[in-house]
Amino acid sequence: QVQLVESGGGLVQPGGSLRLSCAASGSIFSINAMGWYRQAPGKQRELVATITSGGSTNYADSVKGRFTISRDNAKNTVYLQMNSLKPEDTAVYYCNALDIASMFNFASWGQGTQVTVSS
């Protein structure tokens, strides 16, 4: 069974930084692009950043220049470094494997990790 386990969230002041981690089953990690998503209260889940198996990255405009996605193929782990955090970044953050062309997700959603940006 494919598993995704997100960690690293917490409470941070505006302007602060956090690094999220997502450990994924090897069966999906090695052959697929990975993405970080977030869902704020009352809003739909949105795609924040993607990274292909070859390391190409893409970001939502709202996080471009502040967030960096990376992956460690040896550890089957994808990371999201978040800098210059804003209150509007507050959300539950999830990761998943995806097909870039169709945006189809290959795994069930994990529990996510809560990020709260507040003074």
Side-chain angles (χ1 to χ4, degrees), residues 22-45:
C22 169
S25 299
S27 59
I28 63 169
F29 188 90
S30 62
I31 63 174
N32 287 292
M34 296 295 295
W36 279 100
Y37 301 75
R38 67 185 181 187
Q39 187 167 20
K43 295 187 177 181
Q44 289 189 333
R45 186 176 289 149

Side-chain angles (χ1 to χ4, degrees), residues 7-21 36-38 48-49 59 63 65-70 79-86 88-94 113-117:
S7 62
L11 173 64
V12 63
Q13 292 186 343
S17 298
L18 282 174
R19 189 194 194 204
L20 308 183
S21 298
W36 279 100
Y37 301 75
R38 67 185 181 187
V48 172
Y59 299 92
V63 306
R66 300 187 297 122
F67 289 10
T68 302
I69 188 171
S70 61
Y79 304 98
L80 187 68
Q81 177 67 44
M82 305 187 296
N83 299 328
S84 302
L85 283 161
K86 304 175 180 180
E88 50 264 43
D89 295 319
T90 295
V92 179
Y93 284 71
Y94 304 86
T113 186
Q114 175 71 48
V115 172
T116 303
V117 184

